[in-house]
Amino acid sequence: MNQPTLPRYDGLSRLLHWATAITVLIAFVLGPEHFGRLFRNGIDPATRIDVVWHESLGLLVFALTAVRLLWLTLRPAAPHIAMAAWMRKASTITHRVLWILLLLVPVTAIMALGSEAHPMTLLGGLRFEGFSAIAQWPIAETADWGDVHKVLADALVWIAGLHAAGAIYHGVALKDGVLASMLPIKGIR
Ligand code: HEM
Ligand code: HEM
């Protein structure tokens, strides 16, 4: 018997969702440990391929998030799938927290680079020194922005993990079409 067609997010929303998820995970794995010590030892970040990839992918996350948020205001309505009110509330809150972290993690990275007067080094040999002006801003002194960036990046990945576990629970136990609505391929509930 034919299954009814499940409602799905539009193609661009699905493409941007998965591109962001993959980019966040790779950027997280490449997160430069002991970054401060590296610089105190006089190592140029441009010579560290993990740092260059991390900063490039991190900026890509920021760009993807900006495009997604713009698309959110223009796209067709997200699929409406019936579920308990508390579940809908939990999912709305989780999405909002994820959106905020997707913006704050790159912003705090720029604060970290700027307040420690490090250059931003990107793929293609790009190098930006201009952020060091941030070191003069009063806000630069209010926190260790490298630590703030790290804590928020950890929170992003933990919450994304819970969100993914929730989505898989919908797909495996509830089979209500929530997981399918974001999957790149058809045919899975
Ligand atoms: C969603 C995007 C990002 C994620 C998930 C992420 C994740 C992380 C993590 C987990 C660390 C800590 C590594 C450790 O100490 O074990 C880190 C450090 C760092 N990240 Fe990111 N990051 C992102 C975006 C960026 C961007 C856009 C930049 C700069 C353009 C950047 C620059 C840095 C720097 C400079 C550090 C070292 C901070 C310090 O200790 O002073 N990150 N990142
Ligand atoms: C870093 C990883 C991830 C981030 C930052 C993230 C973020 C988000 C955000 C912001 C939304 C709302 C999308 C929109 O309205 O266009 C969303 C929806 C969704 N995500 Fe993720 N996600 C991640 C990973 C995953 C994974 C691994 C899965 C599946 C295993 C998944 C499954 C879903 C599903 C099914 C929806 C639609 C849920 C609904 O409409 O209630 N996500 N995600």
Side-chain angles (χ1 to χ4, degrees):
M1 204 174 66
N2 276 344
Q3 296 257 7
T5 313
L6 294 165
R8 303 169 86 202
Y9 280 83
D10 63 278
L12 183 57
S13 292
R14 283 183 278 126
L15 179 71
L16 292 170
H17 174 272
W18 291 107
T20 308
I22 292 166
T23 313
V24 165
L25 289 182
I26 304 175
F28 183 77
V29 170
L30 294 176
E33 232 178 312
H34 311 303
F35 186 75
R37 200 172 65 204
L38 205 75
F39 283 91
R40 280 191 295 280
N41 291 344
I43 293 169
D44 185 333
T47 62
R48 284 282 304 257
I49 195 68
D50 56 339
V51 173
V52 171
W53 271 96
H54 178 78
E55 295 186 359
S56 304
L57 292 175
L59 273 197
L60 180 60
V61 169
F62 188 72
L64 285 167
T65 304
V67 172
R68 284 177 83 186
L69 287 171
L70 180 65
W71 180 234
L72 211 68
T73 65
L74 303 170
R75 73 182 186 188
H80 185 84
I81 296 167
M83 66 177 78
W86 70 265
M87 232 181 234
R88 185 169 309 284
K89 188 104 200 130
S91 127
T92 307
I93 293 172
T94 310
H95 290 176
R96 287 204 184 137
V97 172
L98 286 171
W99 286 122
I100 292 168
L101 289 172
L102 286 168
L103 292 171
L104 281 186
V105 170
V107 167
T108 51
I110 302 293
M111 288 302 297
L113 288 179
S115 54
E116 292 163 23
H118 298 311
M120 180 163 78
T121 48
L122 302 177
L123 290 169
L126 294 172
R127 185 184 184 99
F128 298 94
E129 309 272 355
F131 296 113
S132 47
I134 292 174
Q136 312 305 322
W137 299 358
I139 196 176
E141 295 289 319
T142 57
D144 179 331
W145 290 100
D147 283 352
V148 176
H149 173 64
K150 190 176 165 189
V151 167
L152 292 181
D154 285 348
L156 171 60
V157 169
W158 274 101
I159 294 168
L162 286 175
H163 155 82
I168 292 167
Y169 177 74
H170 274 279
V172 173
L174 304 178
K175 297 188 192 327
D176 56 5
V178 167
L179 178 60
S181 70
M182 193 49 98
L183 287 184
I185 42 159
K186 282 188 179 174
I188 302 171
R189 289 190 83 83

